[in-house]
Amino acid sequence: MIKGLSRKLGSLVLAAVLALIGVTLSAAPAAAAGKVVSITFDDGPSPYTPQVLRILAQYGVHATFFEVGQNVAARPALTSQVYRQGNSVQNHTWSHPDLRKLSASQFTYQVSATDGQIRSHTGYRPCCLRPPYGAVNADVRSRASALGKKIALWTVDPRDWSRPGTATIQNRVLSQVRPGSVVVLHDGGGDRSQTVAALGGILKTLKARGYTFAIWAR
């Protein structure tokens, strides 16, 4: 009796642990264990996106693009190109607001309208949401979950949007990357020439260090 109860409790504990692991892994890029890094781009598509795509293709790397819905509507062919080249296209809201400050209906519109645009040009409905500015609270998490979205943030931020210089962007990324890192860069939202100039050096060095590259589901 006691042995049977112990086995039952052990099974329940194991199931709970596996469930917790499943939740944790589901919010991360799909990749094998080891020296893996995820390169992500926010705020596109923009006129800089084709340059980013050429560099990624040059190094045989795929990335995840968190795209703004109104930019997708303005440049739908670029979103299609991003997806056709094997990259992941995910949701970064319609107009880049702070989601913590929106009503439930406004939140739903920002996510659903962007989903619609992305799906119409890729055939794929995004599974992840990256809240602008990384601004997350309990409401954002619960509303995202209700819409079937996983929150996707980052661990390495070189602040390339502030245009600190090509060398600074490279150095900040390469000094902070560890196995499992998620790097946030920007292909939209302003002048991204420094990011484009830094990207090749980042990818070349990471590959030389033995890293492989993961993307979110597509």
Side-chain angles (χ1 to χ4, degrees):
M1 179 86 173
I2 293 176
K3 289 183 179 179
L5 179 60
S6 297
R7 284 196 297 270
K8 185 175 182 181
L9 287 174
S11 297
L12 290 173
V13 170
L14 178 59
V17 170
L18 291 175
L20 179 59
I21 292 173
V23 168
T24 302
L25 293 181
S26 69
K35 295 186 71 173
V36 179
V37 62
S38 179
I39 305 295
T40 70
F41 293 92
D42 284 8
D43 298 349
S46 84
Y48 293 95
T49 304
Q51 300 174 58
V52 169
L53 291 174
R54 282 195 293 271
I55 296 168
L56 290 173
Q58 176 184 348
Y59 288 93
V61 171
H62 293 136
T64 302
F65 289 74
F66 290 90
E67 296 195 337
V68 174
Q70 61 186 8
N71 293 343
V72 177
R75 297 182 174 87
L78 283 182
T79 294
S80 298
Q81 183 182 354
V82 168
Y83 189 77
R84 285 198 312 271
Q85 288 190 202
N87 301 290
S88 177
V89 181
Q90 300 295 335
N91 195 313
H92 197 39
T93 74
W94 181 261
S95 59
H96 207 273
D98 185 334
L99 292 176
R100 298 171 302 179
K101 300 178 180 180
L102 302 187
S103 67
S105 61
Q106 291 171 328
F107 184 105
T108 297
Y109 171 78
Q110 286 285 331
V111 176
S112 297
T114 304
D115 272 358
Q117 277 293 323
I118 291 174
R119 185 169 187 172
S120 67
H121 302 297
T122 66
Y124 171 79
R125 179 177 177 270
C127 62
C128 295
L129 170 66
R130 174 165 284 174
Y133 319 107
V136 177
N137 61 14
D139 283 341
V140 170
R141 291 188 182 279
S142 64
R143 290 170 179 173
S145 178
L147 294 172
K149 294 286 181 283
K150 303 163 191 171
I151 297 292
L153 299 177
W154 56 84
T155 62
V156 176
D157 180 6
R159 297 173 65 85
D160 62 317
W161 53 266
S162 67
R163 304 186 70 244
T166 297
T168 298
I169 294 170
Q170 285 188 1
N171 291 337
R172 286 175 178 174
V173 171
L174 296 173
S175 65
Q176 296 178 48
V177 162
R178 303 290 184 272
S181 288
V182 177
V183 179
V184 59
L185 297 168
H186 294 79
D187 66 322
D191 181 348
R192 300 302 172 223
S193 56
Q194 292 182 1
T195 301
V196 170
L199 182 58
I202 291 170
L203 299 181
K204 181 179 180 179
T205 302
L206 290 177
K207 293 193 80 170
R209 292 179 181 177
Y211 279 93
T212 57
F213 299 84
I215 60 171
W216 268 264
R218 48 171 272 134

